[in-house]
């Protein structure tokens, strides 16, 4: 044997890798990392709390449901991600500014070890800032809903990965291109990339499935952007293939950033670009091309929970007790007015229609949405009952995602007044225009009530048929005109 024979009683040291947390703490105190995390957190909270946007409204508010929280905080990456890239580039310039590049490269310590400490500090700071942002919203979500699930976690985890990967890419680029102009130019380029991927290159012009309204829908390229679409429904989430594809993309981005941090020659810097390019190609192969497979309905959240004939989705199970009584009363009134043609159930609409499409309604069920103007504004049992009556008689044909005011609201007032025997001030947008609604609806209601009972029922049936099919003007039918 060529090896040495150990003497009895000799002491041995087991090789191990030491992680010097003191160096990491020093890096966190003295580098740009804590400032980057602080700016990310405070600017995000300022944006959410100081700007009155759709993230505060209805059931899709960022503090209302877990999935909404994850999607709204992800949507902030349209400017948080460029900030992370810019701060990363500023961090990457540190050695150049201190004129220590030659000294550090001459030390025997491997370059990857020297790069790991600032990269780790930056990653910890940004991930912690994003986690605190989600935590602030999560505490409020816990107080606002009883429905908890883990399906929102991948959305937020990928968001944190985007921030970390963007910062690492900025650090690598800052080290490879040591100039004072590098951080602002990189931040602006990242912002332009995110905007183009999400708003221009990432959108495809199309026509709504029903109704023929021109609109746009996301394509595969849009998913390379760190941000996501606005939240229009609590039942919509990102698919698993989106999470996988985006994870591949950000890992390639992070690998390139770290490789650029350790690269010392032009050749190795060019080779370091391989992971981000390969990640983009692989991600595009994995990411879905069909918009209906990007943003999908969460089937668990959309499950119906019922109290007799009144049902809500599992997401809003805590509102079932409030709605059950008015729902049953509305069904009783409808049966008394319409007889066998009346709907037999009232349930929350668990179908998410494509943006701009014409709604599809049921003759056997009163379909409602908690974000509908009528239902959302209803206070107390009576107003909830009137709102459900209106949805059962004239559900409305405004394209999905749009808002409007007109003949449908007048028809609802007349139809509910016919069932109740008197005009009632309905909740929602009509409440602020009571005089106008009364001026339009009362003459038609009086004219309708003066007709023989059979003629009244005939007009209501014709009106309801036009309203459910979205093929005519219900108010015109009630006024005695023909359905168009």
């Amino acid at each position: 044997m060529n090896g040495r024979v150990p003497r009895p009683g000799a002491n041995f040291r087991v090789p191990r890798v030491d992680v010097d947390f003191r160096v990491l703490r020093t890096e966190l105190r003295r580098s740009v990392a804590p400032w980057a995390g602080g700016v990310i957190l405070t600017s995000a909270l300022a944006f959410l709390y100081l700007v009155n946007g759709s993230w505060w409204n209805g059931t899709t508010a960022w503090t209302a449901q877990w999935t909404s929280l994850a999607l709204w905080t992800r949507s902030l990456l349209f400017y948080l991600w460029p900030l992370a890239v810019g701060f990363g580039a500023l961090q990457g310039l540190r050695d150049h500014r201190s004129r220590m590049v030659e000294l550090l490269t001459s030390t025997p310590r491997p370059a990857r070890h020297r790069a790991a400490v600032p990269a780790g500090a930056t990653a910890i700071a940004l991930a912690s800032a994003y986690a605190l942002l989600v935590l602030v919203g999560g505490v409020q979500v816990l107080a606002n809903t009883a429905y908890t699930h883990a399906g929102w976690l991948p959305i937020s985890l990928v968001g944190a990965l985007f921030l970390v990967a963007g910062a690492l890419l900025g650090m690598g680029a800052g080290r490879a291109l040591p100039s004072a102009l590098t951080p602002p130019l990189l931040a602006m380029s990242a912002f332009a990339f995110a905007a183009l991927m999400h708003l221009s290159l990432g959108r495809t012009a199309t026509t709504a499935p029903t109704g023929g309204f021109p609109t746009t829908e996301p394509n595969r390229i849009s998913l390379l952007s760190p941000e996501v679409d606005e939240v229009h429904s609590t039942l919509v989430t990102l698919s698993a293939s989106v999470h996988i594809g985006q994870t591949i993309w950000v890992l390639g981005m992070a690998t390139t950033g770290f490789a650029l941090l350790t690269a010392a020659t032009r050749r190795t810097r060019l080779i370091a670009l391989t992971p981000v390019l390969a990640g983009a190609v692989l991600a595009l192969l994995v990411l879905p091309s069909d918009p209906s497979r990007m943003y999908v309905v969460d089937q668990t959240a959309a499950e119906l929970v019922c109290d007799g004939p009144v049902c809500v989705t599992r997401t809003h199970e805590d509102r079932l007790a409030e709605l059950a009584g008015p729902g049953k009363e509305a069904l009783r009134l409808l049966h008394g007015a319409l007889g066998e043609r009346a709907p037999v159930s009232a349930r929350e609409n668990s179908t998410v229609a494509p943006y701009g499409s014409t709604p599809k309604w049921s003759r056997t069920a009163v379909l409602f949405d908690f974000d509908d103007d009528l239902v959302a504004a209803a206070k107390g049992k009576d107003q909830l009952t009137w709102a459900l009556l209106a949805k059962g008689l004239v559900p409305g044909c405004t394209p999905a995602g749009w808002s409007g005011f007109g003949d449908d609201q007048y028809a609802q007032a007349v139809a509910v007044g016919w069932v109740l025997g008197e005009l009632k001030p309905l909740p929602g947008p009509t409440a602020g225009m009571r005089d106008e609604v009364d001026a339009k609806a009362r003459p038609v209601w009086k004219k309708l009530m003066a007709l023989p009972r059979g003629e009244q029922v005939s007009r209501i049936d014709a009106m309801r048929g036009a309203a459910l099919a979205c093929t005519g003007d219900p108010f015109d039918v009630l006024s005695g005109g023909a359905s168009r």
Side-chain angles (χ1 to χ4, degrees), residues 55-114:
W55 48 87
W56 281 113
N57 300 326
T59 62
T60 57
W62 79 290
T63 58
Q65 298 288 343
W66 290 104
T67 302
S68 300
L69 164 68
L71 290 173
W72 278 123
T73 49
R74 270 289 297 274
S75 69
L76 296 180
L77 294 186
F78 82 92
Y79 79 93
L80 294 181
W81 184 68
L83 279 178
V85 174
F87 274 114
L90 189 62
Q91 174 81 340
L93 291 177
R94 185 176 63 175
D95 292 347
H96 176 75
R97 293 196 310 269
S98 60
R99 300 178 181 179
M100 295 178 59
V101 176
E102 293 184 3
L103 174 63
L104 292 174
T105 53
S106 65
T107 61
R109 190 182 183 190
R112 63 180 181 275
H113 290 181
R114 294 196 307 271

Side-chain angles (χ1 to χ4, degrees), residues 27 30-33 35-36 39 82-98 118 122 166-175 177-187 261:
E27 185 72 25
R30 298 181 179 178
S31 71
V32 177
W35 288 98
V39 170
L83 279 178
V85 174
F87 274 114
L90 189 62
Q91 174 81 340
L93 291 177
R94 185 176 63 175
D95 292 347
H96 176 75
R97 293 196 310 269
S98 60
T122 302
L168 290 179
L169 185 64
M171 290 175 68
R175 183 175 177 82
L177 302 170
S179 168
L181 296 177
T182 298
L185 288 177
L186 273 181
L261 269 177

Side-chain angles (χ1 to χ4, degrees), residues 385-403:
T385 301
W386 303 341
L388 293 175
L389 277 176
K391 297 300 293 181
L393 292 166
V394 187
C397 291
T398 303
W402 296 21
S403 60

Side-chain angles (χ1 to χ4, degrees), residues 65 67 147 149 233-237 296-306 311-317 347-352:
Q65 298 288 343
T67 302
Y147 177 63
H149 61 101
S233 171
T234 57
L235 304 180
V236 172
T237 187
V296 297
V297 174
D298 185 338
Q299 297 299 329
T300 302
E303 288 180 1
L304 294 179
V305 182
C306 302
C311 303
V312 298
T313 61
R314 190 169 297 280
T315 304
H316 298 127
E317 186 176 359
R347 58 182 171 85
E348 183 180 357
N349 195 353
S350 59
T351 301
V352 180

